[in-house]
Amino acid sequence: MDIHIVLYFTAASILLTLAPGPDILFVAVQSVSNGRKAGIVTALGLCTGVLAHTFAAAAGISALLYNSALLFQLVKYAGAAYLLYLAWQALKEGAGELSLERVPRQSAGALYRRGILMNMLNPKVSLFFLALLPQFVTPDGSHPALQMMVLGVIFMVQAIVVFSLVSLGAGFVGSKLRARTGTIRWINRAKALLYAVIGLRLMFAQK
């Protein structure tokens, strides 16, 4: 692979990861409500989903998703339903009076799985990688599918770094907010609203 293409791809990936979108907002809200470790674990789950989408693009599975309106709709509605479920859960968490000590803590495994599901149940991500990766494959190079996998790993690594930095910043802000009486309920309500908005946007998304 051409090193210049790799560098261009890395720079483009960082800018795309920093752009406001569901993934970075998802990491930030987890960090604010549950701490920076929760955000980082969620980010690892999201980035595991990146590898799956990369493999799907390299193997031609994403092309099937693009060409099948039914499959696209099924995945889209499953993702929207999951996000609306998360919104409902967040509302339940914020329904009562919670002190900082009584904030429910989710296991690392649950947060990791939540990140994977959030990423995998968004068909727009598959189509994004299907459109992005081939643009950076060296035309006269060998094994285009392998090149796409390498690019996917590069995207995943930089995303972990960016999301971890976001988690640290959001976690610091969240620790200050959670220390104040009454703010935990509003944090959970804001989290529920964000999940609902992302879910509804996904529900009405087009290819």
Side-chain angles (χ1 to χ4, degrees):
M1 297 178 66
D2 190 321
I3 186 62
H4 295 96
I5 292 180
V6 172
L7 292 175
Y8 291 147
F9 176 78
T10 303
S13 298
I14 293 172
L15 292 175
L16 289 168
T17 303
L18 286 170
D23 286 356
I24 198 166
L25 291 174
F26 195 63
V27 170
V29 76
Q30 287 293 342
S31 301
V32 169
S33 60
N34 296 102
R36 62 181 183 273
K37 291 183 179 179
I40 292 173
V41 173
T42 302
L44 291 175
L46 288 167
C47 292
T48 300
V50 165
L51 282 183
H53 286 299
T54 300
F55 175 79
I61 299 173
S62 296
L64 294 177
L65 181 64
Y66 178 78
N67 291 316
S68 173
L70 176 60
L71 184 58
F72 180 86
Q73 295 293 329
L74 288 175
V75 176
K76 182 181 75 170
Y77 287 128
Y82 180 66
L83 283 163
L84 293 175
Y85 167 76
L86 293 182
W88 177 67
Q89 289 287 89
L91 278 178
K92 286 177 60 180
E93 290 174 10
E97 288 288 348
L98 288 175
S99 65
L100 183 61
E101 293 77 15
R102 293 174 57 198
V103 176
R105 295 292 179 181
Q106 295 178 317
S107 68
L111 290 168
Y112 179 73
R113 291 190 296 272
R114 178 173 291 188
I116 293 177
L117 286 173
M118 166 75 178
N119 194 283
M120 292 297 297
L121 292 177
N122 187 349
K124 299 285 287 185
V125 179
S126 285
L127 301 186
F128 167 76
F129 278 93
L130 180 63
L132 175 70
L133 297 180
Q135 298 182 50
F136 293 90
V137 170
T138 304
D140 55 351
S142 58
H143 305 295
L146 180 58
Q147 291 186 55
M148 291 175 68
M149 290 300 300
V150 172
L151 292 172
V153 171
I154 293 172
F155 191 99
M156 180 192 71
V157 171
Q158 66 80 29
I160 290 174
V161 174
V162 171
F163 286 157
S164 295
L165 293 175
V166 170
S167 296
L168 292 175
F172 175 78
V173 173
S175 66
K176 300 299 183 183
L177 292 175
R178 293 193 306 272
R180 298 183 179 183
T181 304
T183 58
I184 295 174
R185 178 193 300 178
W186 290 105
I187 289 174
N188 283 325
R189 288 177 177 176
K191 183 167 66 172
L193 177 62
L194 179 62
Y195 289 161
V197 169
I198 296 174
L200 291 173
R201 284 187 60 187
L202 179 58
M203 183 181 296
F204 295 104
Q206 302 297 323
K207 291 183 182 178

